[in-house]
Amino acid sequence: ISATELELLMQNVIFAHQETCQFRQENLQILRWETFSPEEMQNFQQKPMDQMWERCVCHITDAIQYIVEFAKRLSGFTDLNPNDQIVLLKAGAMELLLIRMSRAFNCFNNTVFFEGKYAQLELFHSLGCTDLITSMFDLCQSLCALNLSEHEMAFFNAITLLNPSYPWLQDKHKVDTLYRKIHFAFRHLLRRTHREFILMKLPEKEKLSNICQLHLEKLNIFRQMYPTIAWERFPPLYKELFI
Ligand SMILES: CCS(=O)(=O)c1ccc(CC(=O)Nc2nc(-c3ccccc3)c(C(=O)c3ccccc3CC(C)C)s2)cc1
């Protein structure tokens, strides 16, 4: 890879993230001490399970739409064969959501940005999946500890999405070449900023996939309890990716 191609690739990854990050980091920071009052918390906790699930699913589907946009702006992603683009997004959308969500996490009071303010773990009680939410909070805590810059966040998202080891890929070699280029550019950025150490501290692949697995399990339990809600009320993109 030439120096110019490297610079262009770095610009592309950083711009792709900046243009699709949904909430800007500084705005999430400004709001981070706005927490829900006990009454507001109680209000959420008293919502029926199906209503809370529907709200959350709609929120993450909004966030995933930005993730799809991020992928489309990554140079090389849209040159991949269309089947592989779907495979990578199907496998990686939730993982990228988990990583991005850590930007909206306040690790000092263990709250996450949700519907306009920052919410404690207990707010999500009525979802009936405390283990999933707890592992989400733990992941956010560990990512917060790294204090990733938006540039690092952009590259971490890109290398997580372009994972050449997915079994169903038709053109694995093409994904692998793109992955290696972006990983090389990431290491180049980290060397320049003396942040190489974070590579060993990023959460392992299987930690992300375990939480994604847990999400799918909880979704199936929910669907057994409310068989029609998922079909009637969940957004098409969510159904395509997870059902
Ligand atoms: C992601 C881009 S961003 O600009 O940073 C951004 C943009 C917008 C927001 C606002 C937002 O939608 N916050 C949500 N928070 C959580 C949440 C909930 C429990 C713990 C941790 C975060 C949402 C979820 O529904 C969720 C997320 C991950 C796994 C599981 C779930 C619940 C299951 C039932 C789908 S939605 C936040 C951040």
Side-chain angles (χ1 to χ4, degrees):
I1 181 170
S2 71
T4 358
E5 198 187 342
L6 182 68
E7 276 309 313
L8 283 174
L9 185 76
M10 292 176 76
Q11 293 287 337
N12 169 258
V13 172
I14 288 161
F15 285 142
H17 175 73
Q18 279 172 349
E19 288 154 11
T20 63
C21 66
Q22 193 174 1
F23 279 78
R24 295 181 60 76
Q25 180 78 356
E26 43 272 25
N27 298 340
L28 288 166
Q29 293 294 349
I30 291 165
L31 288 166
R32 71 179 177 167
W33 300 105
E34 290 293 315
T35 51
F36 285 109
S37 69
E39 296 73 30
E40 288 171 315
M41 277 270 286
Q42 220 173 43
N43 183 287
F44 278 109
Q45 290 170 327
Q46 281 156 3
K47 287 188 188 310
M49 181 188 266
D50 60 319
Q51 216 190 86
M52 199 58 182
W53 262 88
E54 186 186 346
R55 288 165 86 118
C56 286
V57 158
C58 287
H59 297 320
I60 66 171
T61 306
D62 287 349
I64 288 172
Q65 259 147 352
Y66 285 91
I67 288 166
V68 172
E69 257 321 293
F70 169 71
K72 283 161 63 177
R73 291 163 193 248
L74 275 186
S75 65
F77 184 82
T78 44
D79 302 333
L80 298 174
N81 101 20
N83 163 75
D84 289 354
Q85 292 178 40
I86 302 292
V87 162
L88 292 176
L89 276 167
K90 219 166 145 56
M94 192 64 186
E95 293 188 348
L96 267 69
L97 178 86
L98 302 180
I99 295 167
R100 281 182 161 212
M101 203 48 90
S102 68
R103 296 164 77 243
F105 192 75
N106 180 344
C107 53
F108 299 102
N109 59 7
N110 220 27
T111 56
V112 70
F113 185 60
F114 178 80
E115 295 196 4
K117 288 185 183 174
Y118 276 73
Q120 274 125 336
L121 190 143
E122 294 72 22
L123 180 138
F124 301 97
H125 179 75
S126 68
L127 289 170
C129 45
T130 310
D131 45 355
L132 168 63
I133 309 303
T134 309
S135 46
M136 258 303 292
F137 271 67
D138 293 347
L139 176 80
C140 287
Q141 276 290 0
S142 61
L143 276 169
C144 271
L146 293 178
N147 208 4
L148 295 181
S149 69
E150 283 295 271
H151 292 184
E152 291 160 351
M153 177 63 70
F155 277 96
F156 184 30
N157 273 321
I159 58 172
T160 303
L161 177 71
L162 292 163
N163 182 338
S165 57
Y166 285 128
W168 315 109
L169 292 172
Q170 283 168 359
D171 191 344
K172 215 182 266 279
H173 175 71
K174 204 166 178 191
V175 176
D176 191 48
T177 312
L178 186 53
Y179 170 83
R180 289 171 188 277
K181 276 185 184 170
I182 292 186
H183 200 278
F184 180 82
F186 190 20
R187 286 202 311 278
H188 183 73
L189 168 81
L190 294 177
R191 242 192 322 276
R192 269 193 344 210
T193 52
H194 311 295
R195 292 265 296 173
E196 296 100 319
F197 68 93
I198 68 161
L199 274 179
M200 279 94 69
K201 295 186 180 247
L202 289 172
E204 306 82 49
K205 200 98 194 77
E206 97 243 18
K207 185 165 182 189
L208 288 173
S209 42
N210 288 349
I211 302 175
C212 294
Q213 207 44 48
L214 209 47
H215 161 244
L216 291 177
E217 283 162 24
K218 299 299 166 187
L219 170 61
N220 285 331
I221 295 167
F222 174 80
R223 288 178 64 204
Q224 280 154 23
M225 294 168 75
Y226 300 92
T228 58
I229 298 276
W231 283 114
E232 282 162 12
R233 303 278 187 73
F234 286 5
L237 175 60
Y238 183 87
K239 287 193 280 196
E240 229 169 274
L241 287 171
F242 304 117
I243 289 184

